[in-house]
Amino acid sequence: MDEISVLHEAFGADEVPNQAVEDRARAALQQRMSAKEQRVTSMDRRRRNRFAITAGVAVAAAAAVVATVAVVVTGGAGVTGGVDHGPAPIAEPTLGSPAKGVLPFARPASAAEYLENAAWTAERRPWTDPRPGQFMYIETLELRNKPAYENQHPNDPIRPDLSENRKIQEWWSVDGQTRAGYRNGRLVVTKRGEGGEYWDRIAWSTITAMTSPDKVPDGVPGPGSMGVVLDAFIGQYVVPPNVQAAIFRHLAQAPGMTVNPDAVNIDGRPAVGLGRIIEGYLSQELLFDKQTYQFIGERMVAIKDHVTHGDDGDNVSHRGDVYRQVIYAKMIIVDRPGDTQ
């Protein structure tokens, strides 16, 4: 069975699929993603970025451990108290306030200059190293098509007339052994290996070692890395300010980084998008606040019309179609699952 069939089976009539169904879909996606010799089509890439980009997948205890990368848990896991319908204003991301000072570039013109401003801002955030047993808390607002439509059209762009904001809350222990999220309004805490669930997380020692651009390879090597790309990594881990700054400076040196000064985030506040063109027509962007240069989200948008030919028919994209849009509302260290302050 191919991954499209798995998705159709996984996301049928129920608006909130159960964990086992979600995991089957993720496992099928990982099989395609891990085949490095196989060409990744535009449709596969959009699906990969929609399903996400941190490590985490449950498998049967007797089965081989499978790790996947995902940006946010889809379906019900992590969704709290139902769904927010329609755009809604959000507060500034709780990522710490940078100290006052003079930005490196008053009027940045290139991706490298924007990223240097972002690095300067990041390294001025207040920070206390987490204690053993503490958790990374990541709260996001994700713009998605409504479940009934998304289940039938998982690869379609976000439709303004059918979209909604979903609040996602996730807790990951710093040691990577515990994760938590809301399911049907109830906080569910799971330990790695419990009930046959396994996942991989990048070791904290690997994260804290990335203190300069030359120590931040694109593949994020080290225990549990699974080749996680930086564009995904920085939204899935709560990292020290010097590490985030090093990542931005590393990306500034990467070829093909572009600036989209007209990017707009989920609530209409102005943001600048920095990213790379993939498949020749999709811009995969990190979003930064235009005034503070804080990292606030990510999105994937078509920059020109395109037709992707597939075995199950043609997929048509139009310039301006948005396939993914996520805002990171809060990224902090907390004491236990359920804490948000």
Side-chain angles (χ1 to χ4, degrees):
M1 179 182 295
D2 62 18
E3 69 271 25
I4 294 293
S5 300
V6 172
L7 285 169
H8 278 284
E9 175 188 348
F11 299 98
D14 293 337
E15 289 193 355
V16 181
N18 62 42
Q19 187 67 53
V21 170
E22 289 180 7
D23 293 334
R24 289 205 308 274
R26 289 195 190 95
L29 292 175
Q30 175 60 20
Q31 290 174 9
R32 171 65 63 89
M33 291 159 59
S34 62
K36 296 183 179 178
E37 300 297 324
Q38 186 172 3
R39 178 180 179 273
V40 179
T41 66
S42 302
M43 187 178 298
D44 295 329
R45 191 181 295 276
R46 288 199 299 272
R47 186 181 306 115
R48 178 198 315 181
N49 282 275
R50 176 159 302 155
F51 267 87
I53 316 172
T54 44
V57 63
V59 292
V65 174
V66 178
T68 185
V69 287
V71 178
V72 275
V73 179
T74 59
V79 179
T80 63
V83 169
D84 296 324
H85 296 278
I90 60 174
E92 291 289 336
T94 307
L95 306 174
S97 300
K100 292 183 178 179
V102 179
L103 284 165
F105 297 95
R107 294 180 177 84
S110 66
E113 291 178 354
Y114 273 106
L115 285 164
E116 178 57 34
N117 278 1
W120 185 92
T121 297
E123 63 192 359
R124 281 160 176 75
R125 289 191 292 112
W127 174 261
T128 301
D129 287 332
R131 302 185 305 274
Q134 287 191 299
F135 284 74
M136 303 178 191
Y137 171 59
I138 302 173
E139 179 182 315
T140 60
L141 287 180
E142 185 170 0
L143 187 63
R144 297 267 293 274
N145 286 325
K146 293 182 179 180
Y149 182 86
E150 184 180 84
N151 293 345
Q152 297 299 317
H153 307 277
N155 296 301
D156 280 13
I158 298 168
R159 288 185 47 173
D161 60 326
L162 291 175
S163 63
E164 62 190 13
N165 293 338
R166 300 189 194 177
K167 178 180 177 181
I168 311 294
Q169 294 175 285
E170 293 183 291
W171 291 263
W172 290 91
S173 62
V174 173
D175 65 9
Q177 297 304 302
T178 306
R179 67 178 182 181
Y182 281 96
R183 175 171 294 277
N184 296 325
R186 184 173 66 91
L187 182 65
V188 177
V189 180
T190 307
K191 293 186 179 297
R192 189 177 186 276
E194 187 177 79
E197 291 198 31
Y198 294 89
W199 56 79
D200 266 309
R201 292 282 284 181
I202 298 172
W204 186 248
S205 59
T206 298
I207 293 172
T208 56
M210 296 189 291
T211 55
S212 62
D214 60 307
K215 295 179 180 179
V216 187
D218 281 323
V220 192
S225 71
M226 304 306 294
V228 177
V229 295
L230 290 174
D231 306 57
F233 168 80
I234 59 175
Q236 301 310 305
Y237 292 79
V238 181
V239 302
N242 63 333
V243 171
Q244 191 177 66
I247 291 171
F248 292 153
R249 292 187 172 115
H250 177 88
L251 290 173
Q253 301 170 3
M257 293 296 291
T258 60
V259 180
N260 180 2
D262 298 321
V264 177
N265 78 8
I266 206 167
D267 68 344
R269 288 184 293 120
V272 62
L274 305 178
R276 318 177 202 202
I277 307 304
I278 55 178
E279 300 295 332
Y281 75 100
L282 290 171
S283 179
Q284 183 171 312
E285 301 171 351
L286 302 178
L287 298 177
F288 296 84
D289 186 280
K290 268 192 171 182
Q291 301 300 318
T292 66
Y293 299 95
Q294 287 192 2
F295 169 59
I296 57 175
E298 60 180 90
R299 76 171 190 166
M300 179 177 286
V301 59
I303 58 172
K304 65 180 181 180
D305 295 346
H306 182 81
V307 177
T308 302
H309 302 288
D311 294 338
D312 55 349
D314 293 343
N315 189 277
V316 180
S317 297
H318 300 285
R319 185 177 183 273
D321 282 349
V322 177
Y323 287 92
R324 175 171 174 76
Q325 186 160 284
V326 173
I327 296 302
Y328 293 96
K330 188 174 289 189
M331 302 176 72
I332 58 175
I333 300 295
V334 298
D335 288 336
R336 59 188 62 84
D339 287 353
T340 60
Q341 304 292 335

